[in-house]
Amino acid sequence: MFITRLLSGILLMVIALVTIITGGNLLFFVLLLISLIGMTELYKVFGIEKKPPGIIGYAAAAVYYGLLYFEAQLPGDKLNWFMLLFMALLICEMAALVFAYPKYNTQQIFAAFFGVLYVAVMLSFIYRTRLLDGGVFTVWLVFVCSWGCDTCAYCVGKLIGKHKMAPVLSPKKSVEGGIGGILGAALIGALYALAINRWGNAGVDVLTYVIIGAAGGAISQIGDLAASAIKRYHNIKDYGKLIPGHGGILDRFDSVIFTAPIIYYLAVLL
């Protein structure tokens, strides 16, 4: 299992390197594909992956990515186009509930709407971050914060973890591990800033990357626990089996989903 997990992790890293460094259309379409797969995994939990509520969700995610791709060409206030999409999504999902009543329950309808925001929209901020000035460097903070925090939290928790962070939901996670993860993500952010300033001539502010690292590390843990909570409620171990040794897309990207928009907005504000 360890070898399988390690090899899968290395393959994921290679794909991430090629995709994110290349950026542009490659990154866009890879994220669209990942989003649709992740939504499918989530919809399977609620039994709607091949039913109208799920199909409406997939269509809305595709339209959302289309709006994102052509955002610069959209006439008028661009925000209105996205708001129109989400209102149309809600109306269509409720129509599926009404006209097929009582075939689908409200939990399934809410999950279909939620899946578009939780998976497709949140993950799209990786692409948005890559488009920023200096985004070729900033976008890596999404993964540095989430996966770096996870590693540091695990190590610190193993060494000195005593107080349970969420004893019922995730008994192995400790408060000490959580704090260690945040501090570790901040430290990795600082080291990353120093490295890209030295070898990439990025000219980024180290303190800014420390702040982003700490905030991203904190949020990534919420993302991890949120994905675990959904699985616990529905008595499943993994969302899927796409990635050997890791589970599904949502199992591997649960913390990234929450971290991506936070990194984007912190990068814009700071």
Side-chain angles (χ1 to χ4, degrees):
M1 174 62 86
F2 174 76
I3 296 298
T4 301
R5 186 178 177 86
L6 177 62
L7 292 175
S8 296
I10 293 172
L11 180 59
L12 278 175
M13 185 55 65
V14 171
I15 293 173
L17 280 168
V18 173
T19 304
I20 295 174
I21 290 175
T22 303
N25 289 341
L26 178 62
L27 176 60
F28 177 86
F29 287 108
V30 167
L31 283 174
L32 172 58
L33 178 61
I34 288 175
S35 295
L36 292 175
I37 294 172
M39 289 173 64
T40 302
E41 292 175 352
L42 181 65
Y43 287 170
K44 280 183 179 178
V45 176
F46 296 91
I48 57 171
E49 73 278 10
K50 295 180 180 179
K51 297 178 180 178
I55 294 170
I56 292 169
Y58 301 138
V63 173
Y64 168 79
Y65 270 89
L67 290 175
L68 179 60
Y69 191 80
F70 295 105
E71 187 173 10
Q73 286 77 45
L74 294 176
D77 189 341
K78 296 175 178 57
L79 179 61
N80 286 337
W81 288 94
F82 291 97
M83 291 301 297
L84 176 62
L85 169 63
F86 295 125
M87 286 189 290
L89 169 61
L90 180 59
I91 291 170
C92 290
E93 293 291 2
M94 295 306 291
L97 174 67
V98 170
F99 293 116
Y101 187 84
K103 189 173 184 179
Y104 307 112
N105 59 51
T106 52
Q107 188 180 46
Q108 291 173 310
I109 299 300
F110 294 159
F113 183 84
F114 170 73
V116 178
L117 297 176
Y118 175 55
V119 183
V121 175
M122 300 280 268
L123 279 177
S124 73
F125 278 90
I126 297 174
Y127 177 72
R128 288 183 177 275
T129 303
R130 180 64 175 81
L131 291 178
L132 294 174
D133 290 337
V136 67
F137 298 114
T138 309
V139 69
W140 289 104
L141 285 173
V142 174
F143 303 96
V144 166
C145 291
S146 55
W147 295 343
C149 174
D150 184 54
T151 301
C152 292
Y154 175 81
C155 293
V156 173
K158 278 289 187 181
L159 289 173
I160 61 172
K162 293 182 179 180
H163 302 86
K164 302 299 182 183
M165 180 186 295
V168 177
L169 176 59
S170 187
K172 293 183 179 181
K173 294 187 184 297
S174 65
V175 174
E176 293 84 358
I179 295 173
I182 295 172
L183 295 177
L187 176 59
I188 294 172
L191 294 175
Y192 177 62
L194 292 172
I196 61 177
N197 281 342
R198 174 69 181 274
W199 290 291
N201 297 317
V204 301
D205 180 60
V206 176
L207 180 59
T208 297
Y209 271 44
V210 168
I211 295 172
I212 292 176
I219 296 298
S220 73
Q221 296 183 62
I222 298 176
D224 183 22
L225 289 170
S228 296
I230 295 173
K231 289 190 287 187
R232 290 273 186 176
Y233 274 120
H234 295 275
N235 297 312
I236 59 173
K237 183 178 183 297
D238 294 317
Y239 283 104
K241 300 179 180 179
L242 180 65
I243 309 171
H246 294 269
I249 289 294
L250 295 183
D251 295 297
R252 181 66 276 183
F253 288 85
D254 51 5
S255 57
V256 171
I257 286 173
F258 272 48
T259 306
I262 295 300
I263 298 302
Y264 172 82
Y265 285 112
L266 285 176
V268 170
L269 294 173
L270 296 178

